[in-house]
Amino acid sequence: MAEVERVIIIGSGPAGWTAAIYAARASLHPLLFEGAISEKNAQQGTLPLGQLALTTEVENFPGFPPGDLSAFLETALPEDRRDYLPPHGKHGVSGPELMELMRAQAVHFGTRAITEDVTSVDFSGRPFRLQASDDKEYQAHAVIVATGARANYLDLPSEQRFKNRGVSACAVCDGALPRFRNQPVAVIGGGDSAVEEATYLTHHAAKVYLVHRRDALRASKIMAERAMNNPKIQIVWNRVVEEVLGDDENGVTGIRLKSTAGEDDLTLEVRGMFLAIGHTPNTDFLRGQLELTDKGYVKRVKPFRTYTSVEGVFAAGDVSDDYYRQAVTAAAGGCMAALDAERWLAAHGV
């Protein structure tokens, strides 16, 4: 019979590894599923270490000002884990480096990591049952779901080519990077999120094109007016991206837009393209087991807590947050979930 774990953590982004650090230091001996290394996960951006591992420079995570971390990385990370990392720059910390450091910290305190996906769960009774991609069943008294959400992209080959070299899905994460400062950029989308991204980028970029496939924004009236009244935002109506233009030296240099109203193609010279067409939470394996929002995010049932609709199951990070979507807020959620799980287990005598 399978051993019943005290707590299983599903997900290996900032929320998952922070939850693991706290759970391990509380002597809960957590088992963490970091995801499988598979073509499917590669295509949809759900490989181990989460979305941050797909990012280059990280300027807004506390504690990592610009500087050379080479010597520290050599002592903090095992050699076999350093082999995965790109050459270190002197900007501070990169996404892959930050995630490897979080992983190493959690493992140091006793977290056990399994490089597999959780494919289905049964939360109808305790202990909870989880089926994994290794065809094994795992059981746990408590579960922390931290599988995150993946940004929606356009599925263009040229877009894939320039990811992290001018193509981004997070203006707050990347908008202040040197490649975008005082340069023209484009935001793709027409909802409130697109307007928010465009407005944020006006603080850094020389000009922001807001590209929308229709002749009216989907954003709320007040947000739409904000975009139309901002002198640094130019709305490009009835257009969709056909190709991202650029080269290996400069990254993105422009985008070619196709008309949805029968006009000729239009090329915009921009140094960045920011996608604001939504996110998809990684919750398919949870359907029918946890209450989800109409957008598919895990619903938290108690304010300021990480409780879900099933007692003993907790949610942290972007899988339950469709608003902030930042590494630091995900990490904070992981801390909260681990503390909630620890106190819940103690209350139930585990």
Side-chain angles (χ1 to χ4, degrees), residues 267-339:
T267 297
L268 298 178
E269 293 185 5
V270 295
R271 293 305 307 273
M273 182 180 81
F274 292 82
L275 282 301
I277 54 177
H279 287 72
T280 300
N282 300 313
T283 54
D284 288 346
F285 72 103
L286 297 171
R287 294 189 182 278
Q289 297 294 323
L290 288 182
E291 188 175 354
L292 306 178
T293 69
D294 56 356
K295 295 181 180 179
Y297 291 83
V298 176
K299 181 178 288 188
R300 293 183 182 178
V301 298
K302 189 173 183 179
F304 310 111
R305 297 291 186 271
T306 62
Y307 299 0
T308 70
S309 59
V310 174
E311 188 179 346
V313 179
F314 308 89
D318 290 8
V319 75
S320 56
D321 173 19
D322 66 350
Y323 186 74
Y324 293 105
R325 293 196 293 263
Q326 299 299 302
V328 69
T329 54
C335 164
M336 295 164 62
L339 294 176

Side-chain angles (χ1 to χ4, degrees), residues 45 55 135 152 177 191 260 276 302 317 319 347:
T55 304
D135 295 326
N152 296 334
L177 294 176
T260 60
K302 189 173 183 179
V319 75

Side-chain angles (χ1 to χ4, degrees), residues 6-335:
R6 292 181 183 174
V7 59
I8 285 179
I9 301 166
I10 313 172
S12 60
W17 287 119
T18 304
I21 291 167
Y22 274 79
R25 293 186 74 251
S27 299
L28 296 180
H29 307 291
L31 180 67
L32 182 145
F33 284 87
E34 60 180 343
I37 300 174
S38 66
E39 183 63 26
K40 176 184 176 183
N41 285 348
Q43 290 295 326
Q44 63 182 19
T46 53
L47 287 169
L49 302 181
Q51 293 290 306
L52 209 60
L54 305 175
T55 304
T56 50
E57 297 94 340
V58 177
E59 293 188 332
N60 57 3
F61 199 90
F64 292 96
D68 190 345
L69 292 176
S70 300
F72 173 64
L73 292 170
E74 287 184 7
T75 59
L77 299 177
E79 185 176 355
D80 63 323
R81 299 301 302 188
R82 295 201 304 272
D83 290 343
Y84 293 104
L85 298 176
H88 176 69
K90 295 184 178 181
H91 53 267
V93 71
S94 71
E97 290 165 353
L98 181 56
M99 294 316 306
E100 286 289 355
L101 289 169
M102 287 189 185
R103 186 186 193 279
Q105 190 173 359
V107 170
H108 169 75
F109 288 118
T111 300
R112 294 159 294 145
I114 297 179
T115 311
E116 300 287 349
D117 293 322
V118 172
T119 56
S120 64
V121 296
D122 182 358
F123 292 156
S124 61
R126 293 198 296 267
F128 302 123
R129 298 176 182 273
L130 297 82
Q131 195 70 34
S133 55
D134 60 4
D135 295 326
K136 295 180 181 178
E137 182 183 271
Y138 298 81
Q139 298 183 26
H141 293 291
V143 172
I144 296 174
V145 179
T147 47
R150 57 191 185 273
N152 296 334
Y153 286 90
L154 301 172
D155 294 327
L156 298 172
S158 56
E159 173 192 61
Q160 182 69 30
R161 177 187 173 192
F162 292 108
K163 276 185 180 179
N164 298 319
R165 292 194 299 151
V167 172
S168 170
C170 182
V172 175
C173 308
D174 300 331
L177 294 176
R179 73 163 64 240
F180 304 122
R181 291 177 191 163
N182 300 313
Q183 300 290 333
V185 299
V187 173
I188 314 303
D192 282 352
S193 294
V195 174
E196 288 173 358
E197 298 273 271
T199 302
Y200 175 84
L201 287 167
T202 60
H203 300 301
H204 305 288
K207 184 173 186 175
V208 181
Y209 295 101
L210 181 57
V211 180
H212 187 43
R213 63 170 54 242
R214 299 183 178 88
D215 59 0
L217 296 176
R218 293 184 293 104
S220 60
K221 184 176 180 180
I222 189 169
M223 292 294 288
E225 290 177 351
R226 186 177 301 172
M228 294 178 192
N229 293 333
N230 192 315
K232 293 184 74 174
I233 296 177
Q234 179 180 333
I235 303 177
V236 182
W237 304 107
N238 300 313
R239 295 281 176 175
V240 295
V241 179
E242 188 170 56
E243 184 180 7
V244 182
L245 308 174
D247 54 57
D248 291 339
E249 181 180 356
N250 298 300
V252 172
T253 59
I255 54 176
R256 188 167 69 247
L257 304 176
K258 182 179 180 180
S259 174
T260 60
E263 299 179 357
D264 293 337
D265 287 356
L266 173 67
T267 297
L268 298 178
E269 293 185 5
V270 295
R271 293 305 307 273
M273 182 180 81
F274 292 82
L275 282 301
I277 54 177
H279 287 72
T280 300
N282 300 313
T283 54
D284 288 346
F285 72 103
L286 297 171
R287 294 189 182 278
Q289 297 294 323
L290 288 182
E291 188 175 354
L292 306 178
T293 69
D294 56 356
K295 295 181 180 179
Y297 291 83
V298 176
K299 181 178 288 188
R300 293 183 182 178
V301 298
K302 189 173 183 179
F304 310 111
R305 297 291 186 271
T306 62
Y307 299 0
T308 70
S309 59
V310 174
E311 188 179 346
V313 179
F314 308 89
D318 290 8
V319 75
S320 56
D321 173 19
D322 66 350
Y323 186 74
Y324 293 105
R325 293 196 293 263
Q326 299 299 302
V328 69
T329 54
C335 164

